[in-house]
Amino acid sequence: MKHNLITKITLCGLLLNSFYGNAQKTNLEVNIANTVTKIKPTMYGVFFEDINFAADGGLYAEMVKNRSFEFDNPLMGWIQPNSNRHSLNAESGIATTLNVSERKTNPNFCRVTINNDKGYEILNEGFRGMGIKKDNPYNLSLKAANPDGTIKKIIVQFIDKNKKVLGETSIVPTAKDWQTYTAQLTATETEAKAQLKITFEGTGIIDLDMISLFPQDTWKNRKNGLRKDIVQLLYDMKPGFIRFPGGCIVEGRTLAGRYQWKKTVGDIENRETQINRWNVEFAHKQTPDYFQSFGLGFFEYFQLAEDIGAAPLPILSCGMACQYNTGELVPMEDLNPYVQDALDLIEFANGGVDTPWGKVRADMGHPKPFNLKFIGVGNEQWGPDYIERYKVFAKAIKSKYPTMTIVSGSGPSPDGAFFDYGWKELKELNADIVDEHYYKSPKWFRDNVTRYDKYDRKGPKIFAGEYAAQSVSAATPNNRNNWECAFSEAAFMTGLERNAEVVNLTSYAPLMAHEEAWQWTPDMIWFNNLESFGSANYYVQKLFSTNRGTDLITITKDGKPLIGQNDLFASAVKDDNTKEVILKLVNTSDKAQEASIDLKGSKLQTKGTLITLTSANVNDENSFAEPKKISPTEKEYKLNGAKAQLNLPAYSVSVLKLKMK
Ligand code: AHR
């Protein structure tokens, strides 16, 4: 009998072993009682960069491309199918654009001459089409002037590629002078590639401008607001901060093309349209129709930060155009307006309603300050020209706003001569926080998990501001958001977390991309005109961010951090608010492994939660067809005794959460 039992137990053990592939066991120890350091609420954030149609055509829910006819080609995005010379209906009508130079910020408008109101139409193609959803209402607004009163009606319809009408409304342009009209259309079908068709009743001339269309269903139902599905993805991450609006977009290819926040606030109509610097940057993905309407401007960025509970982190030009492009420099004696922009931005965000810029904010509907604590000087600058300019900014900002934390930059690479020079100088200057960028191979991320172990704890703090594993290599269109990249980033992030004493902010880059209009890949969130999904990298970021904790504690193997022994990586925190211990373990090997974790220093409840993110193949990816192929699964975890036993699947990220008693 006894013999039989032993045989059964042994057999069972053998079966389990073969099931787990003779899983190797790693013994770990967690010391819950000792806090190594407090973890900053800003530890995990997001970096919103206007690249890949992230603003216009993406987060900003405007559906009409070139609504104010201000693109370099003023009729780009607008099609007149019956108005080309070879058409039978050549005489039906024509749209041209006129320029009123006194209207400095929005000089162009569209003049439509209708000769045959049964034959003429003008279409807007949207941002690679317009995504419309069955039964959803859409808000139309436009400005029109009907000088002779001959145009009786403006008819606006959604159509599909077969010209089938999918919703319709009309406007009666009663006034001779410019007037804004509004109407509503409801979509009768869901269609990803709808267009907006405009026809007329009556013949003669009508002038049109600011032809705009938004879904009514926006984030927080704000009129003419942001795409709800995309903001929801950001909100769900509980990001500690949001860096905006770039990226190289801040610098511009030339100084004239830099991002100027003052031109992005106030009345939307008066925000001067500007070419986006990513427009034709890459031969591999030209997007000549990429412009910035600035409908998503600095007020909206601050509001977004507030909505998603993230600290705002605006980045400003420091008087240097992108050093990959022209590298144009503002002479030192002309730097003052740039510095003033930074001081005024702080007033815009935090100043009382009685200050000039605080009043602008209040007039836009937000009398309460935005509580700005961080400001970035330059994006990815390098060399003595940067340091020289940074000094001027830092002096001016700190003398007026001593508690403002300034983010400086160390250039585009995580090492090398420029990096070393920048760091040396910034350290001597007692810089608050230095931004580091790395777009490297998945292996680099796994190999560099100890990067911050030796950073001086008394020196500037670190902002890992732009990083993403590149499956091929940086700036290659063939990079994929694959599982190997994502779990390698997770391994690296355990190193960021272990070094929370010096690493205070971190963010993946870039944040989002339009399925058809991207320039840069990989990206954390992908969207088209109807849907969006988080990549595997998104779920890694979300796991860390939503399990940030308040205190760093140690998780060790033989007294040393777990930094790749047995291909395992780990970090641990506790959360003072939820009274939880949270362990993050990453298994980067192709075999399942076991971990036996001795939890010392606090009594724990036996019931916990185990979250696992895994996928069988390193090349697996999420997609529109399978948006949650790689997404976390959560199950109850039972703690038996003082040691937690965990099975860590091959290629996996595991988060174990246990309540302290
Ligand atoms: O994220 C893409 C680009 O990479 C950013 O604009 C720039 O800061 C970096 O070079």
Side-chain angles (χ1 to χ4, degrees):
M1 198 54 186
K2 198 174 167 200
H3 179 254
N4 266 352
L5 186 66
I6 292 171
T7 317
K8 268 185 195 153
I9 291 172
T10 318
L11 193 64
C12 195
L14 281 175
L15 282 175
L16 271 179
N17 262 348
S18 68
F19 180 73
Y20 290 130
N22 283 328
Q24 142 173 277
K25 188 184 246 178
T26 303
N27 294 316
L28 300 169
E29 191 176 299
V30 173
N31 187 340
I32 303 170
N34 282 357
T35 291
V36 178
T37 189
K38 283 281 178 193
I39 293 178
K40 295 269 188 279
T42 51
M43 182 71 193
Y44 301 109
V46 290
F47 163 40
F48 182 91
E49 174 175 20
D50 189 1
I51 187 172
N52 304 320
F53 268 31
D56 289 86
L59 188 61
Y60 185 53
E62 172 64 85
M63 296 159 75
V64 176
K65 186 167 71 184
N66 193 12
R67 65 184 172 191
S68 59
F69 306 95
E70 300 299 333
F71 283 16
D72 289 2
N73 164 2
L75 279 176
M76 187 179 247
W78 295 93
I79 311 159
Q80 306 175 71
N82 298 337
S83 200
N84 82 60
R85 271 191 209 119
H86 311 294
S87 153
L88 286 177
N89 287 317
E91 301 304 318
S92 64
I94 185 103
T96 52
T97 51
L98 300 180
N99 178 290
V100 188
S101 53
E102 305 86 70
R103 294 195 333 195
K104 288 239 159 355
T105 50
N106 181 9
N108 296 346
F109 65 87
C110 177
R111 169 154 295 174
V112 189
T113 307
I114 301 118
N115 301 321
N116 167 5
D117 62 358
K118 301 289 171 284
Y120 182 74
E121 64 191 41
I122 181 165
L123 311 174
N124 188 274
E125 64 188 14
F127 296 90
R128 309 292 190 276
M130 293 180 186
I132 56 171
K133 292 183 185 157
K134 187 172 176 354
D135 296 333
N136 277 25
Y138 294 84
N139 289 334
L140 171 81
S141 70
L142 57 81
K143 288 182 74 174
N146 192 5
D148 306 320
T150 50
I151 303 304
K152 303 297 172 209
K153 220 183 232 183
I154 306 171
I155 300 143
V156 182
Q157 297 169 322
F158 287 130
I159 55 163
D160 69 9
K161 63 172 188 307
N162 301 318
K163 304 262 176 207
K164 183 176 167 196
V165 174
L166 305 179
E168 168 168 348
T169 191
S170 65
I171 279 165
V172 177
T174 46
K176 284 183 185 313
D177 291 330
W178 286 109
Q179 187 168 305
T180 300
Y181 300 88
T182 59
Q184 212 179 73
L185 295 88
T186 298
T188 54
E189 283 178 27
T190 294
E191 168 61 50
K193 296 274 181 188
Q195 293 188 325
L196 197 70
K197 174 176 161 184
I198 306 179
T199 51
F200 304 87
E201 258 181 46
T203 55
I205 282 173
I206 186 147
D207 293 335
L208 300 171
D209 203 358
M210 290 301 288
I211 304 175
S212 170
L213 186 75
F214 279 85
Q216 219 172 67
D217 188 25
T218 57
W219 172 253
K220 290 200 164 211
N221 290 324
R222 288 216 180 88
K223 195 158 179 252
N224 300 352
L226 306 183
R227 250 179 78 167
K228 196 176 177 176
D229 57 329
I230 301 181
V231 183
Q232 189 67 49
L233 283 165
L234 302 181
Y235 179 83
D236 292 345
M237 293 177 75
K238 298 200 170 97
F241 67 89
I242 177 167
R243 175 185 185 228
F244 57 86
C248 300
I249 195 89
V250 167
E251 307 159 4
R253 294 161 67 92
T254 60
L255 281 172
R258 74 189 186 279
Y259 197 100
Q260 299 183 57
W261 75 266
K262 286 176 180 165
K263 294 185 173 184
T264 76
V265 295
D267 188 356
I268 293 223
E269 202 181 315
N270 294 325
R271 301 183 191 176
E272 197 178 337
T273 300
Q274 187 181 308
I275 195 164
N276 186 300
R277 61 138 296 136
W278 296 106
N279 186 298
V280 289
E281 177 79 11
F282 291 124
H284 66 242
K285 208 84 162 72
Q286 301 260 301
T287 34
D289 56 341
Y290 197 179
F291 282 72
Q292 302 169 90
S293 71
F294 297 113
L296 174 55
F298 259 41
F299 178 86
E300 290 78 16
Y301 282 121
F302 278 112
Q303 195 173 47
L304 171 66
E306 187 173 80
D307 285 354
I308 61 176
L313 168 44
I315 307 294
L316 298 184
S317 160
C318 65
M320 298 174 76
C322 181
Q323 288 162 280
Y324 286 117
N325 301 134
T326 62
E328 225 184 311
L329 285 177
V330 176
M332 290 305 289
E333 60 275 20
D334 297 335
L335 195 59
N336 194 39
Y338 291 72
V339 178
Q340 195 57 47
D341 275 357
L343 299 176
D344 290 343
L345 179 65
I346 299 170
E347 185 178 290
F348 174 75
N350 294 351
V353 295
D354 49 349
T355 61
W357 284 106
K359 182 172 179 329
V360 175
R361 182 194 70 239
D363 290 349
M364 290 184 76
H366 202 288
K368 268 185 21 207
F370 279 120
N371 198 18
L372 177 68
K373 291 187 175 141
F374 300 92
I375 191 162
V377 174
N379 167 45
E380 205 177 53
Q381 271 61 57
W382 63 80
D385 294 323
Y386 174 59
I387 299 299
E388 205 183 1
R389 282 160 183 76
Y390 165 81
K391 281 184 196 163
V392 180
F393 274 83
K395 191 168 170 214
I397 295 171
K398 288 287 183 185
S399 9
K400 191 155 182 198
Y401 301 103
T403 59
M404 188 61 54
T405 301
I406 303 179
V407 175
S408 51
S410 58
S413 315
D415 45 33
F418 290 137
F419 177 85
D420 294 341
Y421 168 80
W423 252 105
K424 183 178 139 300
E425 296 290 320
L426 290 166
K427 203 166 177 179
E428 271 168 27
L429 291 167
N430 277 326
D432 295 328
I433 300 189
V434 179
D435 181 12
E436 298 191 351
H437 295 177
Y438 21 91
Y439 296 97
K440 296 283 188 181
S441 70
K443 183 172 181 314
W444 184 94
F445 279 87
R446 299 193 297 267
D447 289 349
N448 281 271
V449 72
T450 58
R451 176 178 177 85
Y452 295 112
D453 290 8
K454 294 207 170 64
Y455 267 55
D456 182 357
R457 268 44 190 164
K458 298 202 176 70
K461 301 299 180 202
I462 309 300
F463 175 22
E466 290 187 27
Y467 69 86
Q470 314 287 298
S471 65
V472 182
S473 67
T476 301
N478 301 325
N479 284 322
R480 308 298 309 177
N481 281 96
N482 69 30
W483 179 226
E484 184 187 6
C485 289
F487 71 67
S488 303
E489 287 153 10
F492 182 77
M493 288 170 83
T494 63
L496 297 176
E497 192 162 278
R498 272 192 310 99
N499 286 284
E501 197 178 352
V502 65
V503 181
N504 286 181
L505 302 94
T506 64
S507 48
Y508 182 95
L511 185 61
M512 55 180 79
H514 190 293
E515 183 189 22
E516 291 174 57
W518 56 272
Q519 298 84 41
W520 184 293
T521 185
D523 302 287
M524 195 164 84
I525 291 169
W526 287 86
F527 60 87
N528 57 28
N529 291 338
L530 283 176
E531 298 170 314
S532 51
F533 70 87
S535 61
N537 317 69
Y538 168 85
Y539 287 106
V540 164
Q541 293 292 320
K542 188 175 165 195
L543 267 188
F544 276 75
S545 183
T546 53
N547 292 291
R548 169 175 49 82
T550 54
D551 295 55
L552 181 72
I553 55 176
T554 54
I555 177 164
T556 51
K557 174 178 162 25
D558 306 324
K560 297 197 182 88
L562 192 62
I563 51 171
Q565 305 91 310
N566 302 342
D567 296 319
L568 295 177
F569 301 82
S571 57
V573 297
K574 63 183 172 186
D575 193 313
D576 259 356
N577 306 315
T578 59
K579 304 280 173 259
E580 279 173 321
V581 178
I582 306 170
L583 314 182
K584 303 179 182 98
L585 293 112
V586 184
N587 179 5
T588 61
S589 81
D590 60 359
K591 292 194 178 47
Q593 302 199 46
E594 284 177 58
S596 173
I597 310 167
D598 195 358
L599 296 144
K600 295 197 162 128
S602 172
K603 290 209 163 121
L604 298 166
Q605 294 182 20
T606 51
K607 220 164 81 180
T609 309
L610 178 62
I611 309 169
T612 310
L613 184 63
T614 188
S615 204
N617 193 313
V618 291
N619 291 317
D620 284 348
E621 288 178 46
N622 289 344
S623 61
F624 285 100
E626 287 183 285
K628 294 210 167 156
K629 182 183 172 107
I630 310 172
S631 59
T633 53
E634 197 169 313
K635 64 178 187 200
E636 199 179 285
Y637 179 83
K638 202 103 182 112
L639 180 68
N640 291 320
K643 289 191 184 174
Q645 309 297 336
L646 279 187
N647 174 260
L648 308 171
Y651 308 133
S652 66
V653 182
S654 303
V655 177
L656 177 63
K657 301 169 81 166
L658 296 164
K659 284 259 182 210
M660 293 181 276
K661 273 188 183 159

